[in-house]
Amino acid sequence: MAIHLGNADHIGIAGSSNPVPERETFASAAHIQLHLWEHRSLFLGAIPDAVEVTPACSWLLVGLESPFDIAINDGQRISTRMALVPPGVEVCYFPEGGLQACCFLDVLCRDYRALSLRMQPVTDGLYCDAGTFADEVVESFRRLYHQPIDPAEFYDGFVDVLGLPSPMPEGRIQQAVAGVVSSVRLTAAANLTNGHYASEAGMADEVLSRWFRQQTGLTLRRYRNWHRLFLAAWMMRQGIPLTVAAQEAGFSDAAHFNHVFREMVGLKPSFI
């Protein structure tokens, strides 16, 4: 497994003077790569079994060796090489053991909106295969997987091939929600209330809840658990036991961490 953190973004841990290093790499014979950045993350590897998941952010799934099947909200299974999935829907996808790219996109859905313009709408916010665009993405991800490069160059290549927008928020509402997202990242291990973040942002609790769901498709609590998963994953790669990493990231115990991981990622933590 590899965890790469490009110099464009990094993940910090609340209460620590040491943010996640920006150029630290771990490797194993499993040939699974997990690239963690502040606004986006990327999994590259073979997934042997069907995955059922309710994503906490928008995902881009790419079959790097062959098409895969996907169904949304118990709908019809669709065969495709590339699928753009909105947050909060029930997803079942069938990778058939082939090499897969799972792109976890920005929480404010800017990446989702940009990519949706280049893909074909299907149902319930699902977009699929987009001809030559899919060809370019598949080939580029294959190259990134098989020919590892400097983490900073990797991040730039990832953003360029997908044509992702700037992570800078636009407009008053998006800027306010982005500020709350940043605050949640810094305090993820603490069980602060929505009221705390609303007061910090200078708005009413109900306004924050409405704006946050409007911009992200999530509740604030669900987003916080999503970020906690990545904090715990990074700590586990540092050799910290799962139980300790889970608690340091803000989960009540290992069982809580395992449950949230399975629900939001669709895999057991031990898989990665």
Side-chain angles (χ1 to χ4, degrees):
M1 174 180 180
I3 296 183
H4 305 277
L5 294 110
N7 64 0
D9 303 292
H10 67 268
I11 297 174
I13 300 176
S16 171
S17 60
N18 299 314
V20 175
E22 296 183 6
R23 294 180 181 239
E24 187 158 359
T25 301
F26 301 87
S28 75
H31 302 300
I32 290 175
Q33 299 177 20
L34 181 61
H35 305 264
L36 304 179
W37 303 291
E38 181 180 353
H39 297 288
R40 303 150 177 136
S41 300
L42 173 65
F43 168 92
L44 292 168
I47 301 175
D49 302 312
V51 175
E52 295 183 4
V53 64
T54 304
C57 67
S58 50
W59 287 21
L60 182 70
L61 300 170
V62 185
L64 302 188
E65 295 174 336
S66 61
F68 58 94
D69 284 1
I70 186 169
I72 299 290
N73 293 333
D74 294 324
Q76 180 181 1
R77 282 175 60 163
I78 298 166
S79 180
T80 182
R81 293 178 299 165
M82 191 161 73
L84 178 64
V85 179
V89 297
E90 296 180 2
V91 179
C92 190
Y93 69 95
F94 308 84
E96 307 297 339
L99 187 62
Q100 194 89 0
C102 299
C103 311
F104 308 116
L105 303 173
D106 78 302
V107 70
L108 294 180
C109 294
R110 292 161 295 194
D111 295 346
Y112 174 83
R113 289 189 290 270
L115 289 168
S116 70
L117 299 176
R118 306 181 69 179
M119 299 177 67
Q120 297 297 318
V122 181
T123 182
D124 291 340
L126 173 68
Y127 291 78
C128 283
D129 204 330
T132 56
F133 178 48
D135 293 338
E136 294 169 4
V137 171
V138 168
E139 181 57 34
S140 295
F141 278 5
R142 280 178 180 165
R143 186 166 58 251
L144 289 172
Y145 177 77
H146 291 294
Q147 300 174 7
I149 58 176
D150 176 85
E153 293 181 33
F154 192 109
Y155 181 80
D156 291 340
F158 168 71
V159 170
D160 288 346
V161 69
L162 295 180
L164 300 180
S166 165
M168 298 301 294
E170 298 179 354
R172 181 171 68 94
I173 293 178
Q174 197 173 93
Q175 288 174 356
V177 173
V180 173
V181 165
S182 296
S183 183
V184 170
R185 287 173 176 159
L186 292 173
T187 59
N191 286 311
L192 300 178
T193 65
N194 283 18
H196 168 87
Y197 295 109
S199 176
E200 191 176 65
M203 67 180 76
D205 192 347
E206 59 271 19
V207 173
L208 172 59
S209 297
R210 183 172 68 251
W211 285 7
F212 200 90
R213 183 179 285 276
Q214 179 187 90
Q215 294 295 313
T216 69
L218 306 170
T219 64
L220 194 151
R221 179 180 179 181
R222 186 167 175 79
Y223 169 69
R224 180 169 59 195
N225 276 343
W226 175 245
H227 186 65
R228 284 171 171 174
L229 292 180
F230 289 92
L231 293 181
W234 180 81
M235 285 188 279
M236 288 165 62
R237 292 309 302 168
Q238 306 302 302
I240 297 174
L242 184 152
T243 300
V244 176
Q247 292 178 337
E248 287 292 319
F251 294 101
S252 56
D253 53 33
H256 182 207
F257 169 71
N258 286 332
H259 172 77
V260 174
F261 198 97
R262 287 295 298 269
E263 179 196 7
M264 293 188 176
V265 181
L267 302 167
K268 295 180 179 179
S270 59
F271 182 79
I272 63 170

